[in-house]
């Protein structure tokens, strides 16, 4: 019985956080800014970070690109498995008070793939070229916020996405010396 109550309280807090952050999307300017951040998080920002890292590191960076790609593949696999197993509806689909600020890329909410990939890329690229963290950390935080402000994710979706991204990124860094044998 206590587990059921705890679950209900967590879900209520999740919705409360989602509603609070989503109310910012009622401003057209804020919605426009976070829609742009979300779209940049689809890939363009991360491609720019890869290019910048390559420019800073030179040809030494070419092997590191494989680490980034490997991390992305592992993160995507975990993300897709969880999305199809949990089939959690997006907040705007369940709660009429949630304003949809951007078209979703898929049907389900859990976990946030944008946040997962943003954190994963920040961990791996930040390890490879720490100077990039000045750009990546604030952008990653904005991507995470955008998912809730736009009504696409609950805070728990974003938190779990961030945890998975950090775990996969850290695993890639820890395993990197073993991959060097293969390169």
């Amino acid at each position: 019985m206590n587990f059921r109550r705890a679950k209900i309280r967590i879900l209520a807090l999740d919705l409360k956080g989602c509603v609070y952050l989503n109310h910012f999307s009622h401003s057209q300017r804020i919605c426009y800014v976070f829609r742009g951040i979300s779209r940049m998080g689809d890939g363009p920002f991360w491609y720019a970070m890869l290019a910048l890292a390559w420019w800073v590191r030179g040809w030494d960076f070419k092997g590191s690109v494989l680490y980034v790609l490997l991390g992305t593949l592992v993160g995507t696999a975990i993300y897709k498995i969880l999305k199809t197993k949990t089939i959690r509806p997006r907040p705007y689909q369940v709660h009429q008070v949630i304003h949809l600020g951007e078209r979703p890329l898929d049907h389900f909410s859990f976990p946030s793939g944008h946040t997962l990939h943003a954190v994963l890329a920040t961990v791996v690229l930040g390890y490879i070229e720490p100077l990039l963290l000045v750009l990546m950390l604030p952008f990653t935080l904005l991507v995470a916020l955008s998912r809730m402000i736009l009504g696409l994710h609950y805070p728990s979706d974003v938190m779990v996405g961030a945890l998975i991204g950090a775990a996969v990124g850290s695993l890639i860094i820890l395993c990197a010396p073993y991959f060097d044998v293969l390169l």
Side-chain angles (χ1 to χ4, degrees):
M1 187 68 165
N2 287 335
F3 176 75
R4 188 170 169 11
R5 282 188 198 157
K7 182 179 176 184
I8 290 170
R9 287 190 69 163
I10 289 169
L11 291 173
L13 280 173
D14 219 14
L15 176 60
K16 190 174 183 177
C18 187
V19 169
Y20 174 77
L21 289 168
N22 181 252
H23 94 275
F24 291 106
S25 72
H26 295 276
S27 161
Q28 287 287 53
R29 288 184 182 146
I30 291 174
C31 190
Y32 181 76
V33 166
F34 281 97
R35 193 177 298 142
I37 289 165
S38 180
R39 289 180 184 167
M40 290 289 291
D42 285 343
F45 179 83
W46 304 111
Y47 302 141
M49 292 299 100
L50 280 168
L52 191 55
W54 196 311
W55 181 72
V56 170
R57 305 283 284 176
W59 285 107
D60 293 339
F61 182 68
K62 68 178 185 252
S64 300
V65 171
L66 295 175
Y67 301 139
V68 176
L69 292 174
L70 180 62
T72 301
L73 290 172
V74 170
T76 300
I78 293 169
Y79 155 84
K80 291 207 179 263
I81 290 167
L82 285 173
K83 285 262 185 178
T84 58
K85 296 293 182 193
T86 60
I87 58 172
R88 183 181 195 184
R90 292 187 180 273
Y92 75 90
Q93 294 171 319
V94 179
H95 308 285
Q96 291 181 355
V97 295
I98 302 294
H99 171 257
L100 177 61
E102 174 71 322
R103 178 184 55 81
L105 297 177
D106 58 36
H107 296 293
F108 302 116
S109 179
F110 184 86
S112 168
H114 275 76
T115 306
L116 184 154
H117 287 97
V119 170
L120 189 145
T122 299
V123 168
V124 176
L125 284 173
Y127 177 78
I128 294 166
E129 187 51 57
L131 184 63
L132 294 178
L133 289 170
V134 172
L135 298 171
M136 292 187 301
L137 285 173
F139 185 76
T140 296
L141 180 61
L142 290 172
V143 166
L145 284 171
S146 78
R147 309 317 291 159
M148 296 172 287
I149 289 172
L150 296 173
L152 297 167
H153 289 283
Y154 295 96
S156 60
D157 301 336
V158 171
M159 286 187 278
V160 171
L163 289 171
I164 294 168
V168 172
S170 298
L171 185 63
I172 293 298
I173 290 167
L174 289 171
C175 294
Y178 302 108
F179 296 136
D180 281 342
V181 173
L182 302 174
L183 296 177

